[in-house]
Amino acid sequence: MDDVDWERLIDQLGRGDCAPFLGAGACAGTLPTGTVLSNRYALRYGYPFSDAGDLARVMQYGEAVVRDPVDLKETVCGHLRSHGRPPVGDPGEPHRLLAGFPVTTFLTTNYDDFLAEALRAEGKEPHVAVSPWWDTDPAAAPRLPEPTVERPVVYHLHGSWAEPSSLVLTESDYLTYLVNMVDAVATDGRHPLPTPILRAMTTRPLLFVGYSLQDWTFRVLFHGLVRNTPRSNKRRHVSVQLMPEINGSAAGAGDAEAARDKARRYITHYLDRWNISIFLGTASEFCSELRRRMGRTP
């Protein structure tokens, strides 16, 4: 991101012309990462394969052990809730910082309720809705009120820990989610997203916080939106990208910094064709820089 990107983003956030899209990285430091969670349950269920850090595959195995997918999801939700909540009163905490802007529509692939709680702390009354990703019947889509600054909508695309059965957690869940998302658009023009959510995602610039290029949901969902958005409506988006794990030997001489440079160039090239400006770093680092540029920190 250069100065023009920052100025544009700050202006858009200030007038509410933006739709934040929160991923797991927004909860760093409060909830365990996917890898930590995956390794925990790989140990618990005796996962026999070498990819113990792949959460969806480990949970697919866990479902076979438990033989009750809802019970498995209840267990995971209980574990996540036991980790507590983001620090109260921290103006730089991602959820609290974003909740302070006059934004009407928030999207998340996280299970937690941190965003809704942050909005309530700002004196707002959020309407929280969960995607019925398992059901392709258009009638299953939740009816949402028109979002306003005082009553914004928070839409959970991958389920909520308030409804454990709604979680997109296992490999089968992710496949079902992606197939239903793509199929609903491709068949007869239907879209599985409620109208206010689809409108926000196709007419406003998106601010992705806490994703990486390894996240297939981010890639598939955004690619579908870009393809179906008229050129005249295309906006410049921002993504706070987590740097993928680096293979130092890929640089040719074991130079890790050279490998990171290659990774940065690739990510920049990959996302620029989707009209996305990138901030390479954590959600916390992004929020600190945003506050600094808005004059909220020394």
Side-chain angles (χ1 to χ4, degrees):
M1 292 178 66
D2 57 21
D3 290 341
V4 172
D5 288 321
W6 281 108
E7 290 170 7
R8 183 183 64 252
L9 175 62
I10 290 170
D11 184 53
Q12 290 167 346
L13 285 169
R15 65 174 187 266
D17 182 24
C18 184
F21 206 127
L22 275 64
C27 302
T30 302
L31 297 181
T33 65
T35 300
V36 169
L37 197 63
S38 183
N39 285 317
R40 169 189 171 85
Y41 284 99
L43 182 62
R44 174 169 178 166
Y45 295 122
Y47 186 69
F49 306 110
S50 61
D51 55 347
D54 189 317
L55 181 60
R57 290 184 178 177
V58 168
M59 299 316 294
Q60 188 69 49
Y61 184 84
E63 180 182 313
V65 173
V66 175
R67 292 181 286 184
D68 185 331
V70 177
D71 186 74
L72 177 69
K73 294 175 183 182
E74 291 270 10
T75 299
V76 171
C77 288
H79 176 64
L80 292 175
R81 284 194 291 263
S82 73
H83 281 77
R85 313 188 68 79
V88 177
D90 180 359
E93 196 277 320
H95 303 88
R96 189 63 185 269
L97 179 60
L98 293 172
F101 292 105
V103 171
T104 62
T105 306
F106 296 83
L107 304 105
T108 180
T109 50
N110 296 337
Y111 310 141
D112 60 79
D113 60 359
F114 299 163
L115 189 51
E117 285 300 303
L119 288 164
R120 293 186 186 103
E122 291 289 335
K124 302 175 183 180
E125 300 177 20
H127 180 92
V128 180
V130 178
S131 168
W133 53 269
W134 57 89
D135 193 340
T136 58
D137 185 350
R143 294 181 178 272
L144 302 182
E146 190 63 29
T148 65
V149 174
E150 295 76 20
R151 296 185 175 182
V153 166
V154 177
Y155 196 70
H156 287 263
L157 288 122
H158 281 184
S160 165
W161 66 19
E163 303 174 31
S165 62
S166 70
L167 266 57
V168 178
L169 181 64
T170 68
E171 196 170 44
S172 292
D173 290 339
Y174 278 97
L175 290 173
T176 299
Y177 178 88
L178 293 175
V179 167
N180 286 351
M181 179 70 69
V182 173
D183 183 62
V185 178
T187 51
D188 58 6
R190 295 181 295 115
H191 204 287
L193 296 174
T195 299
I197 302 303
L198 182 60
R199 183 171 64 245
M201 294 179 72
T202 55
T203 64
R204 293 179 185 166
L206 304 176
L207 171 59
F208 294 96
V209 179
Y211 288 94
S212 72
L213 285 186
Q214 285 101 329
D215 192 313
W216 272 101
T217 301
F218 165 77
R219 297 167 69 178
V220 171
L221 186 61
F222 190 80
H223 181 73
L225 289 170
V226 168
R227 186 179 59 187
N228 289 285
T229 301
R231 181 173 294 275
S232 60
N233 288 343
K234 292 189 184 299
R235 308 292 299 272
R236 184 76 182 180
H237 310 287
V238 170
S239 180
V240 180
Q241 282 281 314
L242 302 174
M243 175 65 82
E245 185 176 348
I246 298 300
N247 176 12
S249 62
D255 188 342
E257 185 56 40
R260 281 192 287 272
D261 286 341
K262 284 186 176 182
R264 290 189 193 99
R265 289 196 299 271
Y266 170 72
I267 293 172
T268 301
H269 170 74
Y270 187 93
L271 294 179
D272 190 62
R273 64 193 177 97
W274 282 358
N275 212 26
I276 303 178
S277 299
I278 64 169
F279 176 92
L280 273 174
T282 66
S284 178
E285 291 168 344
F286 169 79
C287 289
S288 294
E289 180 63 12
L290 176 61
R291 295 184 73 241
R292 186 188 72 79
R293 287 177 177 265
M294 294 179 67
R296 297 188 182 182
T297 58

